[in-house]
Amino acid sequence: MQCFSFTPHRHLTQGFSVQNDVTFASNRRGPHGQAGTGSPLLRLYARAQFISVPAIIHRRRSPILSQNAVIFDMDGLLLDTERLCCDAFVEAGSAFGLPDLTDLFLKCIGMRMAESNNIVRTGLDGRVDFDAFIALWRHKNAEKHRLGIPLKPGAREVLTDLRTQGIATAVATSTNTTSATDHLTKVGLAGFIDHIIGGNQVTRGKPAPDIYLLAAERLGYATKDCFAFEDSDPGTLAAVHSGATTIQIPDLKQPAPEVLQLGHIVAPNLLAGAHRVGLLSAKTNAVEQSL
């Protein structure tokens, strides 16, 4: 989502495990090994004509290919801003006398501001003034960002390694371009990224594939020749639908069962995911394997 430190509740991480650090996500196969087509979420995206359900289901490919470019989400993947944003959200709710709003915030992850505002408005259900809540949330979030934006583990190492190898990179984020550029500049990552594409540059936000298609175009590659790293379900759906080889690094919220059916790669962190698809140099691989 477009973000504006919190320690996640225990239920946010329960039930998520990774075998041998990285696994291929799979779930509920049919009698001939095919993935099921009954998922409401998959049917929703098929009806929206992003891609057909069979094309979604059967987009499994070899984990190590000859891709030439890498596209990253930002919040919750490179920057640990989702935690800041969630903390501010919960604090804003508490200031209005509302119960813990963590679950409502989680529904906003990966979405642009307009979409997340609609989710919040519905979730608040008239219990407090919507505009006042949003104003306080943004104020608290801005205060937290001023204190410093933490990086996700492996973000600097992976980007540095890709730059050393001469591999083209882009960021495709639901956050608007100006804010994204400002955040990446402040943490010293902007210089490792060739193009920054914010959610304001596309008509349809994630889970539509538009932002990944645009990022690949800016890089000068077909999406099939790109790796895409994401943390959220909407972002993962966008990346998979674009045709990129997709690696999901869950952050505050574990993947939904219908998203796991897509057959993409799921990894515990950026270094492990980049190692699994053969992106890292020997030196950085040694660092990843020592962790």
Side-chain angles (χ1 to χ4, degrees), residues 8-165:
H9 292 279
R10 187 163 54 92
H11 76 272
L12 298 182
T13 54
Q14 280 183 331
F16 178 68
S17 63
V18 179
Q19 186 177 20
N20 297 324
D21 289 334
V22 183
T23 63
F24 279 103
S26 61
N27 202 336
R28 293 187 300 209
R29 300 275 156 185
H32 303 293
Q34 77 277 18
T37 59
S39 161
L41 194 55
L42 293 183
R43 291 199 303 270
L44 171 64
Y45 297 129
R47 285 198 299 271
Q49 297 180 352
F50 296 156
I51 191 169
S52 67
V53 169
I56 295 172
I57 297 298
H58 296 293
R59 198 184 286 279
R60 183 184 294 272
R61 48 165 63 89
S62 169
I64 301 177
L65 301 175
S66 57
Q67 274 85 351
N68 300 297
V70 185
I71 306 171
F72 297 93
D73 177 47
M74 186 183 74
D75 295 300
L77 182 84
L78 297 176
L79 310 183
D80 203 6
T81 42
E82 295 289 14
R83 297 175 192 276
L84 300 180
C85 200
C86 184
D87 197 19
F89 191 86
V90 172
E91 289 178 9
S94 179
F96 281 97
L98 298 175
D100 190 334
L101 295 179
T102 300
D103 288 341
L104 177 58
F105 173 82
L106 293 180
K107 295 178 181 178
C108 301
I109 289 178
M111 312 300 285
R112 294 186 298 185
M113 184 186 295
E115 289 87 353
S116 65
N117 280 353
N118 288 336
I119 292 170
V120 172
R121 187 188 298 274
T122 300
L124 292 177
D125 194 27
R127 289 176 289 175
V128 300
D129 180 79
F130 171 76
D131 291 330
F133 178 87
I134 292 296
L136 182 59
W137 174 25
R138 291 177 180 170
H139 172 71
K140 288 182 173 294
N141 191 62
E143 286 184 332
K144 294 180 185 302
H145 277 68
R146 278 194 291 270
L147 295 176
I149 301 173
L151 296 180
K152 294 294 290 183
R156 190 177 303 278
E157 292 82 355
V158 169
L159 286 170
T160 300
D161 190 86
L162 295 178
R163 177 62 70 193
T164 300
Q165 295 183 64

Side-chain angles (χ1 to χ4, degrees), residues 69-71 168-172 195 197 209-227 242-244:
V70 185
I71 306 171
T169 59
V171 160
H195 297 280
I197 295 91
D210 303 34
I211 196 165
Y212 277 97
L213 296 172
L214 179 59
E217 179 183 338
R218 295 274 178 85
L219 289 168
Y221 291 94
T223 50
K224 67 180 179 63
D225 296 320
C226 297
F227 291 105
S242 77

